[in-house]
Amino acid sequence: MGKTKLLTNFVTQRVEQWSHTLTHPATRVALAKLRRGLGKKPGTLPDLWEYTLEGLDDELLSHTENPTYEEWAIYLALTLYAYHQRGQTRSMHKPGASFGDAMRLLATEGSIGKRSEAVTRRMQALVSADSIESIAIHLRSLVGQLRSHAIPLDYVLLAKDLYGLQYEDSKDKITLHWGQDYYKKYVKKMEDENHD
């Protein structure tokens, strides 16, 4: 099994379990602990190891002092999910809701035909980020906005994207896909509304 599949299986198992047990005390504790991991490097908070490392395939684990790309992607996806879920009564993980889709909904929230320049600027800053740490900072801000508007996101797909963003040869493909979802589907929606 490839690394991407191992990574997505791990995130799927965690997020789907939590999404179906949001009111369970153990889930609430797990998500609260994960939120404390925002802005931190994977592996630095022992309280999070059981959620971000336990059961992780050895092929994805670091054998140096630096987290692997897979560990970064998993850690960011899970801590951001916990942050997004805070104060929400329904799951903020929605399979199929790509990052570009969620940003389009956020940018057009409450308006028809007008896109938020602030969201567009934040997306551009995210896409221009040159390290996973910078990506994490920009994502936290955007996920905070999604949380404020209760707009869900596919966290398995986000983990996969975060993994790919760390490789130069796949970063452009991922950001192109985000841009297509952010603009193309919006244009189609506007065209459909104009034909009614």
Side-chain angles (χ1 to χ4, degrees):
M1 188 179 305
K3 289 183 176 185
T4 303
K5 186 67 173 166
L6 290 169
L7 176 148
T8 56
N9 285 349
F10 185 86
V11 174
T12 299
Q13 179 186 22
R14 295 290 196 271
V15 172
E16 287 188 359
Q17 175 190 350
W18 294 327
S19 292
H20 292 99
T21 59
L22 288 174
T23 59
H24 192 279
T27 298
R28 295 169 87 171
V29 167
L31 296 179
K33 286 181 179 180
L34 283 163
R35 282 192 289 273
R36 288 195 293 268
L38 288 167
K40 307 279 192 299
K41 187 176 178 179
T44 59
L45 296 177
D47 279 358
L48 306 189
W49 292 349
E50 72 176 290
Y51 310 114
T52 61
L53 297 173
E54 184 179 21
L56 191 59
D57 192 280
D58 190 54
E59 196 176 336
L60 306 183
L61 294 172
S62 172
H63 299 288
T64 69
E65 69 278 1
N66 296 314
T68 63
Y69 288 176
E70 297 85 2
E71 288 172 316
W72 265 112
I74 290 166
Y75 183 85
L76 289 177
L78 296 181
T79 56
L80 287 167
Y81 168 74
Y83 177 56
H84 196 169
Q85 195 60 57
R86 185 178 188 177
Q88 302 294 334
T89 56
R90 66 182 176 94
S91 178
M92 290 293 102
H93 167 65
K94 180 180 178 185
S98 77
F99 184 71
D101 289 337
M103 290 299 104
R104 174 180 36 82
L105 290 174
L106 177 63
T108 58
E109 184 76 17
S111 67
I112 295 181
K114 186 175 180 186
R115 183 176 314 280
S116 165
E117 290 180 21
V119 174
T120 302
R121 280 194 310 274
R122 287 185 178 126
M123 283 276 294
Q124 291 167 344
L126 170 62
V127 169
S128 301
D130 59 359
S131 70
I132 194 67
E133 293 88 353
S134 295
I135 289 169
I137 291 167
H138 293 294
L139 270 176
R140 182 178 180 173
S141 170
L142 288 164
V143 168
Q145 292 293 310
L146 292 176
R147 185 184 68 172
S148 296
H149 294 276
I151 297 171
L153 179 61
D154 185 332
Y155 277 88
V156 176
L157 183 55
L158 181 63
K160 184 178 176 183
D161 287 349
L162 288 168
Y163 176 57
L165 284 174
Q166 297 174 81
Y167 291 98
E168 282 302 315
D169 62 339
S170 59
K171 182 177 181 179
D172 290 345
K173 178 182 175 183
I174 292 163
T175 58
L176 174 63
H177 184 72
W178 286 357
Q180 289 169 338
D181 287 347
Y182 187 62
Y183 283 102
K184 186 177 179 184
K185 290 183 180 182
Y186 177 71
V187 170
K188 181 170 178 14
K189 177 183 167 195
M190 291 300 297
E191 288 171 355
D192 292 345
E193 289 173 357
N194 290 336
H195 286 99
D196 289 339

